Amino acid sequence: MSLWCSDGLDFTAYLDRIGAAAPPVPTLDALRELHRAHVTSIPFENLEIIVGRPIPLDIAAVQRKLVEQSRGGYCFEHVTLFAAALERLGFRFTALSGRVILGGDPETRPATHALLAVEFDDGSRYLCDVGFGRGPLEPIPLANGAEVEQDGWGFRLTSSPVGDLFGTARWVLAQRAEEWIPRNAFTFDPQFPIDYAVGNHFVSTSPRSPFVTRSFVQRFDERTHETLDGVTWTTEKPDGLSQVRDVEPAELPVLLADVFGVVLDPDDCRAVIAAETRRIAESAS
């Protein structure tokens, strides 16, 4: 069996879900097309946790949710699916774990973000970050100081030594807002599906995880980054303009469907409304 279980992936259904064609060979152009199609088609969301269900990472479960049911997921689900697709196509890549910092201290954050580094025969390497919710649209060259602008969205990679042993380097991916904001830090310690299973357990069950406390949904494309954080809906544009609105819990199902492309069944709609209503009441008490 393949490491990322690509033999269990319905590749045609995946391509239909993201609106992409199967590339004939694993080239950089093909990687760019698949990365862009994936991040602009499949939203980021943690709603299974909010309605009280676990987050399985086997390829059948991930495919059923993100492809067949047209739902979204968070980084471990996205990267599991994307890795299976890359493996099917013959790309050479290494799975990595990152620490989400968003301007904070890397030493205080757990390594709970999943990324991929893809390598080509000429020795060039590219970072794929399909599971963060806010781009990048396409892979970023893994080179210290690499700075890219993708349809107005800016990203930058930097590298510096960390620790005194083994010559380890810490890489930091930053996103441009009013200023550069470091968003995640990672090293090249290879990760495997079992490592993601451990991180996934923490993210989906620990009371220290932000994803167990409130709904968090994102949709990203060339023009807009939409975020739903609890009942706060934020729309950001590449030029930095943004709009923030608070919504009522009862409005969430329609908002999720119309803006984020996440359609819940009636029972899950009621569960999300109840969870956010309860959270608001608890925070006000």
Side-chain angles (χ1 to χ4, degrees), residues 1-12 58-60 63 80-81 83-90 93:
M1 180 178 290
S2 56
L3 179 62
W4 294 96
C5 299
S6 58
D7 48 350
L9 175 67
D10 185 339
F11 191 51
T12 299
D58 60 281
I59 191 61
Q63 179 173 244
T80 296
L81 181 61
L86 295 189
E87 187 177 67
R88 172 72 68 88
L89 289 167
F93 61 89

Side-chain angles (χ1 to χ4, degrees), residues 1 11 25 30 72 75 83 93 119 126 150 173 185 194 225 235 261 266:
M1 180 178 290
F11 191 51
V25 290
C75 64
F93 61 89
E119 184 174 357
Y126 289 81
Q150 301 170 348
L173 176 61
I194 187 61
H225 175 219
T235 301

Side-chain angles (χ1 to χ4, degrees), residues 2 16 19 46 55 63 68 107 119 136 184 196 205 208 235 249:
S2 56
D16 288 344
N46 70 329
I55 306 292
Q63 179 173 244
E68 297 171 15
E107 281 75 20
E119 184 174 357
N184 55 58
Y196 284 173
T205 65
R208 294 181 57 196
T235 301

Side-chain angles (χ1 to χ4, degrees), residues 120-131:
F120 292 95
D121 290 340
D122 62 2
S124 62
R125 297 181 301 178
Y126 289 81
L127 180 70
C128 294
D129 191 4
V130 298

Side-chain angles (χ1 to χ4, degrees), residues 20 24 37 43 48 58 67 75 78-79 92 100 106 113 118 133 135 142 155 171 174-175 178 192 209-210 220 230 253:
E48 291 294 275
D58 60 281
V67 176
C75 64
H78 278 273
V79 170
R92 188 169 67 252
V100 177
H113 181 54
V118 178
L142 266 163
F155 302 92
W171 292 78
Q175 62 192 42
E178 293 182 357
F192 302 95
S209 168
F220 182 77

Side-chain angles (χ1 to χ4, degrees), residues 113 134 144 150 166 191 211 213 262 272:
H113 181 54
R134 185 197 186 278
N144 187 23
Q150 301 170 348
F166 313 121
Q191 301 293 289
F211 293 142
T213 61
V262 176
V272 168

Side-chain angles (χ1 to χ4, degrees), residues 127-274:
L127 180 70
C128 294
D129 191 4
V130 298
F132 196 83
R134 185 197 186 278
L137 289 163
E138 296 180 357
I140 299 175
L142 266 163
N144 187 23
E147 189 172 316
V148 299
E149 184 161 320
Q150 301 170 348
D151 293 274
W153 304 98
F155 302 92
R156 183 172 66 191
L157 268 172
T158 54
S159 172
S160 60
V162 57
D164 298 323
L165 299 177
F166 313 121
T168 301
R170 173 185 289 148
W171 292 78
V172 174
L173 176 61
Q175 62 192 42
R176 189 182 63 219
E178 293 182 357
E179 57 185 15
W180 287 104
I181 300 174
R183 73 179 201 173
N184 55 58
F186 59 94
T187 64
F188 276 95
D189 181 22
Q191 301 293 289
F192 302 95
I194 187 61
D195 300 309
Y196 284 173
V198 173
N200 178 56
H201 178 72
F202 174 88
V203 170
S204 62
T205 65
S206 172
R208 294 181 57 196
S209 168
F211 293 142
V212 306
T213 61
R214 87 282 194 220
S215 304
F216 194 73
V217 187
Q218 298 181 85
R219 186 103 195 207
F220 182 77
D221 62 23
E222 296 86 350
R223 300 171 302 278
T224 308
H225 175 219
E226 305 279 5
T227 304
L228 179 66
D229 188 345
V231 292
T232 300
W233 170 25
T234 302
T235 301
E236 298 176 272
K237 299 292 186 180
D239 60 7
L241 294 177
S242 64
Q243 182 178 12
V244 181
R245 291 145 286 188
D246 286 331
V247 299
E248 295 297 324
E251 300 177 79
L252 292 176
V254 172
L255 179 64
L256 287 168
D258 290 351
V259 175
F260 296 92
V262 176
V263 179
L264 302 177
D265 66 32
D267 287 342
D268 286 353
C269 287
R270 287 189 286 270
V272 168
I273 292 171

Side-chain angles (χ1 to χ4, degrees), residues 18-148:
I18 66 174
V25 290
T27 63
L28 177 56
D29 285 342
L31 183 65
R32 286 172 173 150
E33 180 181 351
L34 288 170
H35 193 293
R36 179 180 285 259
H38 184 112
V39 300
T40 58
S41 299
I42 306 179
F44 181 106
E45 50 120 326
N46 70 329
L47 298 177
E48 291 294 275
I49 302 171
I50 301 305
V51 303
R53 286 193 288 267
I55 306 292
L57 291 184
D58 60 281
I59 191 61
V62 171
Q63 179 173 244
R64 183 166 53 251
K65 181 186 174 193
L66 275 64
V67 176
E68 297 171 15
Q69 297 175 353
S70 297
R71 288 280 302 278
Y74 57 27
C75 64
F76 293 114
E77 298 167 281
H78 278 273
V79 170
T80 296
L81 181 61
F82 196 64
L86 295 189
E87 187 177 67
R88 172 72 68 88
L89 289 167
F91 283 95
R92 188 169 67 252
F93 61 89
T94 301
L96 307 172
S97 283
R99 303 175 188 274
V100 177
I101 50 179
L102 292 175
D105 185 351
E107 281 75 20
T108 66
R109 308 296 174 90
T112 55
H113 181 54
L115 314 97
L116 299 175
V118 178
E119 184 174 357
F120 292 95
D121 290 340
D122 62 2
S124 62
R125 297 181 301 178
Y126 289 81
L127 180 70
C128 294
D129 191 4
V130 298
F132 196 83
R134 185 197 186 278
L137 289 163
E138 296 180 357
I140 299 175
L142 266 163
N144 187 23
E147 189 172 316
V148 299

